[in-house]
Amino acid sequence: MSEVTIAKTGTPGALPDENVLGFGTHFTDHMFEMDYNPQAGWHNPRIVPYHDFSVNPANTTLHYGQGVFEGMKAFRTKDDRIVLFRPLEHLRRLNRSADILCIPQFDVDVVHNALHKLIALDQKWVPAKQGTSLYIRPFIFATDPYLGLRVAENYKLAIILSPVGAYYATGFTPVKIRVEDKYVRAVPGGLGEAKTLANYAASLRAAVDAKKVGYAQTLWLDGVERKYIEEVGAMNIFFKINGELITPALTGSILSGITRKSVLEIARDWGLKATERRITIDEVYAAHSQGQLEEVFGSGTAAVISPVGELSWQNNKIIINDNKTGELAQKLYDYVTGLQYGAVADKFGWVEEVAKS
């Protein structure tokens, strides 16, 4: 594959106010692109000015959803370095998602190198305010102009960047979650373990219904027996029961979160018993009734750690830890964000520094 070419914009944009960034509304000056066809494979890796795509109305992704994506972040540390948190893990997961959707594998090293070049070029867009970051969205979609239902032959891989605000704009406080017993998100053998379009479309109706009755998100149960806990919203979920940290095992319908993986590795390094296994909603409620449900929290790229203060299942509400952020959730949040902003020594080798151009 050829070297990454760079075409710089002639009309750089104005940087947004770091105090009102929000999420996914501002975009940097440049983006990365690479194309695939059966003859050349993945080819023409390039960094170009941010631009709109021209898409044929018969584009197969528009009609059949053959696309995958990732989400990761770059951070500006207190000593003005720009760092990435576990980018290779994210790119490898993108390839795993691509494989599930029958999308050809890309060379992770090529895209990893291009990502560093892209962020170095747009480094001024990495915000400095505590809690802010540069969100990184790699994605792949089919580009065939064909209405027949088949695996596409042509694809585009792109990476766009967006400076984003602090996730907890109003403070790191527990949220209320409704256990979903009507809709299902995924089943083993389906697309649940891929970061793909359909998974997120499948979650929208339940999220809307939950918010109508005052809940921040949905806790998903398995799609077959409707009793095993899977994910919470777009995050993985953890329960601390009688001193043990438990998260649902990856059974084929749950996304393998990079933050999830990090939390497990950190917890075990701290000497905690951290278990991946199937856990039912009945077990969680029983643990609460016995005074053993100590903490519940979600984990994900956007929030890092999201403490849960209330669960509602079949009109039975339980309050966790007096609706206060748990000691472990707070400690994990402080540690992971400390790694990301350079305040904590990186003993795991998860942080990569971007060379400034």
Side-chain angles (χ1 to χ4, degrees):
M1 184 180 291
S2 57
E3 285 291 313
V4 177
T5 61
I6 300 177
K8 295 184 180 180
T9 184
T11 55
L15 298 182
D17 184 346
E18 291 189 4
N19 296 305
V20 290
L21 286 175
F23 184 87
T25 58
H26 306 281
F27 299 96
T28 69
D29 290 325
H30 300 90
M31 61 190 289
F32 171 73
E33 288 185 64
M34 183 167 66
D35 300 299
Y36 179 92
N37 63 47
Q39 295 74 38
W42 285 109
H43 63 282
N44 193 19
R46 59 204 183 273
I47 293 172
V48 296
Y50 188 92
H51 66 96
D52 291 341
F53 290 136
S54 177
V55 177
N56 189 292
N59 173 275
T60 51
T61 303
L62 294 180
H63 297 273
Y64 304 119
Q66 195 187 2
V68 293
F69 66 95
E70 261 301 324
M72 57 181 126
K73 288 181 176 181
F75 306 86
R76 190 179 295 274
T77 66
K78 290 184 178 180
D79 57 356
D80 201 35
R81 294 179 298 118
I82 297 170
V83 300
L84 297 165
F85 186 72
R86 309 194 78 170
L88 283 169
E89 291 283 353
H90 284 280
L91 293 176
R92 290 169 185 146
R93 186 174 67 176
L94 181 62
N95 248 345
R96 292 196 297 272
S97 295
D99 183 59
I100 293 169
L101 271 292
C102 300
I103 296 171
Q105 300 286 279
F106 59 88
D107 188 322
V108 168
D109 290 336
V110 169
V111 178
H112 181 241
N113 175 58
L115 176 61
H116 273 260
K117 291 179 182 293
L118 176 62
I119 294 173
L121 183 60
D122 278 352
Q123 62 187 262
K124 69 179 182 179
W125 289 85
V126 183
K129 185 178 178 180
Q130 181 66 30
T132 63
S133 59
L134 185 72
Y135 184 77
I136 302 163
R137 172 53 65 90
F139 59 103
I140 309 172
F141 64 99
T143 56
D144 287 15
Y146 177 73
L147 287 182
L149 179 56
R150 69 177 188 194
V151 173
E153 296 181 346
N154 302 279
Y155 301 88
K156 183 181 290 289
L157 186 157
I159 303 175
I160 57 177
L161 310 175
S162 175
V164 297
Y167 187 86
Y168 294 109
T170 58
F172 185 59
T173 56
V175 295
K176 296 167 58 179
I177 301 295
R178 187 173 78 162
V179 181
E180 180 55 54
D181 55 12
K182 178 181 178 182
Y183 304 108
V184 298
R185 175 190 152 269
V187 295
L191 301 177
E193 60 184 340
K195 207 165 174 65
T196 184
L197 288 62
N199 277 344
Y200 295 82
S203 71
L204 296 177
R205 170 53 60 192
V208 168
D209 287 355
K211 288 177 181 176
K212 284 180 180 177
V213 290
Y215 290 89
Q217 259 301 350
T218 294
L219 180 64
W220 293 101
L221 301 179
D222 76 282
V224 179
E225 298 183 67
R226 309 300 292 275
K227 66 179 183 179
Y228 292 102
I229 293 168
E230 297 210 326
E231 297 185 14
V232 57
M235 295 185 290
N236 295 115
I237 187 77
F238 285 86
F239 304 90
K240 186 166 180 275
I241 298 176
N242 198 25
E244 179 184 5
L245 187 62
I246 304 167
T247 193
L250 303 177
T251 56
S253 55
I254 298 173
L255 185 71
S256 177
I258 308 306
T259 309
R260 174 190 182 275
K261 182 177 182 179
S262 303
V263 165
L264 288 168
E265 292 175 13
I266 293 165
R268 289 164 182 160
D269 183 68
W270 289 347
L272 292 173
K273 183 179 181 181
T275 305
E276 299 172 76
R277 65 171 175 84
R278 301 188 83 184
I279 180 170
T280 66
I281 188 64
D282 285 305
E283 181 181 347
V284 170
Y285 269 65
H288 179 268
S289 68
Q290 296 161 11
Q292 295 181 339
L293 181 61
E294 298 162 358
E295 296 188 40
V296 181
F297 57 86
S299 70
T301 297
V304 182
I305 301 294
S306 181
V308 175
E310 178 183 316
L311 287 176
S312 177
W313 176 47
Q314 297 179 347
N315 297 316
N316 184 2
K317 298 179 182 179
I318 58 173
I319 304 299
I320 298 109
N321 194 40
D322 294 325
N323 202 28
K324 297 175 183 176
T325 299
E327 180 181 351
L328 180 58
Q330 186 69 62
K331 186 179 179 183
L332 285 165
Y333 177 79
D334 291 343
Y335 189 84
V336 175
T337 57
L339 286 171
Q340 293 170 337
Y341 289 99
V344 171
D346 179 23
K347 64 182 290 185
F348 296 101
W350 293 341
V351 176
E352 293 181 11
E353 185 169 352
V354 176
K356 294 187 177 181
S357 59

